[in-house]
Amino acid sequence: MGKNKLAKFEDMASYPHVFQYPFSVLQEKGFETRGRWHEDFFHNDRPIVLELGCGKGEYTVGLGRLFPEKNFIGVDIKGARMWTGAKESLEAGMRNVAFLRTHIELIAQFFAPGEVSEIWITFPDPQMKKVNKRLTSTRFMRLYREILGGEGLIHLKTDSDFLFTYTQEMIKANRLPVRIVTDDLYHSGLADPILSIQTYYEQQWLGRGLRIKYLCFACEDRAEWIEPDVEIEYDTYRSFNRSKRSALASGK
């Protein structure tokens, strides 16, 4: 691990709005704030919104600025990237923003049923070869449904034609209500300040002339979740893992 990463981890360990729980600690003691985010951390009863795979936390911080009447939590396992948003929100004195460093697969151990109102998934790896790792697969829909309350909205922004098509097929197979759908966000007429927030990866893909897709749908409860059985053409311009993805984004 590089010195820069170690310095960021050490710095972030002192941040009061960053939660880092090793799996061993989670197994032994659980997460004491689970079900008590409103009372113990935010000290209000406003809706909680998650950004999963938050990376540098652009959406978490951006949404926090746009909507002071809501609470936002960025979730990612990569602490060195998360440090950027964590530092920015700390220096700005934002009281409605937090960050949680953990694997998304463990999300139900950090939030109680109904504790979350919305989920944003911004530019995830499409995981073209691994269905169970796709953040919009039925495996994750079950996890999200455990913690979502109310309408339970899921927002997906992606440059990936593969993931966009797969998610639409998953929605169709499970008859989930769609609120908004566009395969070309910035030419769709959706003049929404929320959607105008751009992540690091989004700026890279836009610079390459790629279209950005956006989906908003309700993750309703289902007795049985059905995986779509369809053949979808793979994206040809990107790699399967994050390290190769980063190299592509930087033009190396």
Side-chain angles (χ1 to χ4, degrees):
M1 186 181 293
K3 291 182 179 179
N4 190 40
K5 283 189 177 181
L6 289 174
K8 288 179 178 179
F9 288 147
E10 184 177 353
D11 186 34
M12 204 162 54
S14 66
Y15 292 5
H17 67 316
V18 175
F19 297 82
Q20 303 184 78
Y21 265 63
F23 183 63
S24 57
V25 175
L26 190 62
Q27 276 190 313
E28 181 182 350
K29 300 180 179 179
F31 182 63
E32 61 184 12
T33 307
R34 182 180 185 269
R36 298 190 55 82
W37 282 94
H38 289 114
E39 296 89 344
D40 294 351
F41 181 76
F42 290 114
H43 307 296
N44 60 51
D45 59 358
R46 299 165 186 165
I48 293 175
V49 181
L50 305 185
E51 182 194 2
L52 302 183
C54 68
K56 297 175 182 289
E58 296 100 328
Y59 253 84
T60 302
V61 175
L63 289 171
R65 287 198 172 102
L66 285 174
F67 299 99
E69 73 277 10
K70 292 183 179 182
N71 303 311
F72 298 91
I73 303 173
V75 182
D76 206 313
I77 193 60
K78 300 292 186 179
R81 286 199 298 261
M82 182 185 290
W83 174 85
T84 302
K87 183 176 178 63
E88 182 180 349
S89 55
L90 180 67
E91 291 180 344
M94 300 178 72
R95 296 177 179 270
N96 65 329
V97 168
F99 288 89
L100 172 62
R101 188 179 172 212
T102 189
H103 290 285
I104 294 171
E105 292 88 339
L106 301 176
I107 201 72
Q109 298 192 45
F110 291 91
F111 298 94
E115 196 167 20
V116 173
S117 65
E118 297 179 51
I119 290 174
W120 280 83
I121 305 171
T122 53
F123 299 89
D125 189 317
Q127 296 290 349
M128 290 181 274
K129 291 188 175 180
K130 300 176 182 178
V131 176
N132 280 341
K133 288 194 173 183
R134 288 176 207 155
L135 293 187
T136 56
S137 70
T138 55
R139 174 200 180 196
F140 281 96
M141 289 300 121
R142 292 186 186 94
L143 285 176
Y144 303 156
R145 192 56 255 172
E146 284 187 45
I147 63 175
L148 281 167
E151 193 176 14
L153 291 180
I154 305 284
H155 304 265
L156 171 69
K157 276 184 80 176
T158 181
D159 56 283
S160 168
D161 287 322
F162 177 90
L163 185 62
F164 183 67
T165 302
Y166 166 80
T167 306
Q168 286 182 297
E169 293 294 335
M170 185 280 297
I171 288 170
K172 187 187 304 181
N174 293 281
R175 299 181 179 181
L176 300 176
V178 176
R179 300 290 181 255
I180 304 172
V181 58
T182 175
D183 65 355
D184 192 358
L185 177 61
Y186 294 109
H187 295 92
S188 66
L190 291 170
D192 192 323
I194 302 174
L195 299 176
S196 68
I197 301 170
Q198 293 183 2
T199 70
Y200 168 78
Y201 284 122
E202 181 172 4
Q203 293 172 36
Q204 297 293 331
W205 302 135
L206 283 170
R208 289 174 173 260
L210 299 176
R211 291 181 302 170
I212 304 303
K213 296 87 178 166
Y214 171 65
L215 264 170
C216 176
F217 61 97
C219 182
E220 294 182 341
D221 195 18
R222 293 290 182 266
E224 179 183 5
W225 289 90
I226 301 169
E227 268 296 327
D229 184 17
V230 292
E231 292 289 331
I232 304 173
E233 185 178 352
Y234 281 5
D235 297 331
T236 58
Y237 64 90
R238 69 191 296 167
S239 301
F240 297 112
N241 61 55
R242 285 187 176 272
S243 60
K244 291 182 180 179
R245 228 175 118 184
S246 298
L248 178 60
S250 62
K252 297 178 180 178

